[in-house]
Amino acid sequence: MAIPPLAALRAFEAVARHLNFTRAAEELGMTQAAVSYQIRLLEDRMGAPLFLRKPREVVLTETGALFARPTIDAFEILREAYAEPTTDLVSTLSISTMPTFAGTWLSPRLGKFQMNNPDLAVRLETSDTIVDFAREDVSVAIRGGYGNWPGLTAQHLMEMDYSPMLSPTLAAKHDIREPADLLKLPLLDRADRNWAVWMREAGVDFWETPPKPGLTLATDLHEARAALAGYGVALLTPRFFRFELATGSLIQPFPLAAKNGRSYWLVYPPGRRNRPAIRKFRAFLLDEIASDPG
């Protein structure tokens, strides 16, 4: 099949990104009717609808979703190729990541990155929701997982590992000599599957005692704060809580840090891989991780 007309592809790419005909028309400097006409031409060419037009929203059909990502990536590459040479001299790098990673590891280092790149504005957004690059104003994201996000470039950063931590005050009230002794204490977010992973590696039958109602919090950062307050044992990443361990406000009773196969990854659409800001940030992260023994 020959490549469809460029005007139709431009309209499809804009609507697929915004999932909104009006915003796509505004971006392209066209009327909404003209955008709809180009989409109809492309749908006639493909022999299938690309969008479902609902009363309050537009969604991609299965066929539309199949062609949306490669089309968006192709236009991203073209935008990069034809960008003005000076466009990256004063620009914004918008980073989306999880609250715990941002609060414990990334944010203390971002000031150094920004000072090394004074012409680059840096914006950090935290959320546990997976960002949609096609619809949100985000340059890169740092995600936890296995690195298999279709349509995205994923750069491995660091493995996830976990170990129980608690306050010295709580530890002093209990005789903790072996991992099984932790079962006598309140375990924060006991339903977290990583508890089972750690206990198995520590040689403990995690279900040897019936689970009790307990405290479940949204993020490791909140669990760490609850542990600092003495409310229970949190399963945390040692590299993220070095300060608390060094000052003794948290203790790690056993050296075992169990891995669950997941890692942190820097992700972005492949069409952005040559953007100077993203190249600089990727290199900065890798340098910081290389100098951080974990």
Side-chain angles (χ1 to χ4, degrees):
M1 179 186 295
I3 297 176
L6 182 59
L9 289 175
R10 284 184 68 222
F12 171 63
E13 188 269 346
V15 177
R17 270 190 296 110
H18 294 292
L19 290 181
N20 186 289
F21 277 76
T22 301
R23 287 202 293 270
E26 291 172 352
E27 177 182 300
L28 297 173
M30 301 168 63
T31 65
Q32 185 174 336
V35 171
S36 298
Y37 174 73
Q38 293 296 335
I39 296 299
R40 285 198 301 273
L41 289 179
L42 188 57
E43 288 176 331
D44 290 344
R45 178 77 170 262
M46 304 301 297
L50 300 173
F51 298 99
L52 292 177
R53 299 158 178 82
K54 296 185 177 182
R56 295 186 178 181
E57 62 178 342
V58 174
V59 297
L60 287 159
T61 63
E62 185 175 346
T63 301
L66 178 65
F67 289 100
R69 176 47 56 189
T71 304
I72 291 170
D73 288 344
F75 275 89
E76 191 71 41
I77 292 171
L78 288 172
R79 291 188 190 98
E80 182 70 30
Y82 287 95
E84 292 292 333
T86 58
T87 54
D88 201 63
L89 295 181
V90 180
S91 59
T92 298
L93 179 72
S94 177
I95 307 160
S96 173
T97 189
M98 300 85 74
T100 297
F101 187 88
T104 61
W105 194 90
L106 182 59
S107 59
R109 292 167 167 81
L110 274 185
K112 176 181 176 182
F113 175 73
Q114 206 282 322
M115 289 180 65
N116 292 340
N117 299 275
D119 294 321
L120 182 64
V122 180
R123 186 176 75 240
L124 178 63
E125 300 176 0
T126 60
S127 173
D128 287 318
T129 303
I130 294 180
V131 66
D132 184 348
F133 286 100
R135 303 182 64 184
E136 300 178 49
D137 183 19
V138 172
S139 308
V140 297
I142 297 174
R143 294 180 180 173
Y146 301 99
N148 53 348
W149 294 282
L152 295 177
T153 296
Q155 169 69 56
H156 183 268
L157 297 178
M158 62 180 76
E159 292 182 307
M160 292 182 175
D161 59 7
Y162 298 92
S163 189
M165 299 183 199
L166 69 161
S167 72
T169 303
L170 180 62
K173 297 177 181 178
H174 301 271
D175 186 17
I176 304 174
R177 299 186 180 184
E178 57 185 38
D181 292 332
L182 293 174
L183 297 176
K184 305 172 187 176
L185 282 68
L187 303 183
L188 299 173
D189 198 1
R190 185 184 176 117
D192 183 350
R193 288 177 294 179
N194 291 312
W195 271 117
V197 174
W198 190 89
M199 290 291 183
R200 182 174 63 248
E201 292 194 21
V204 177
D205 181 359
F206 187 47
W207 304 114
E208 65 184 29
T209 58
K212 300 176 182 178
L215 187 60
T216 299
L217 299 164
T219 68
D220 291 354
L221 199 58
H222 296 329
E223 290 177 19
R225 289 170 178 162
L228 286 165
Y231 293 127
V233 185
L235 195 62
L236 305 172
T237 298
R239 101 160 55 213
F240 291 169
F241 296 94
R242 282 205 191 109
F243 177 79
E244 290 80 3
L245 292 172
T247 58
S249 55
L250 282 177
I251 63 172
Q252 181 182 348
F254 306 103
L256 172 65
K259 296 179 173 62
N260 59 8
R262 291 160 58 88
S263 295
Y264 290 101
W265 303 78
L266 176 69
V267 299
Y268 47 86
R272 302 179 186 178
R273 63 185 178 276
N274 291 322
R275 288 188 179 180
I278 293 178
R279 291 205 309 268
K280 292 173 184 176
F281 185 59
R282 181 177 60 226
F284 173 79
L285 286 178
L286 295 178
D287 286 345
E288 288 293 307
I289 291 167
S291 63
D292 179 11

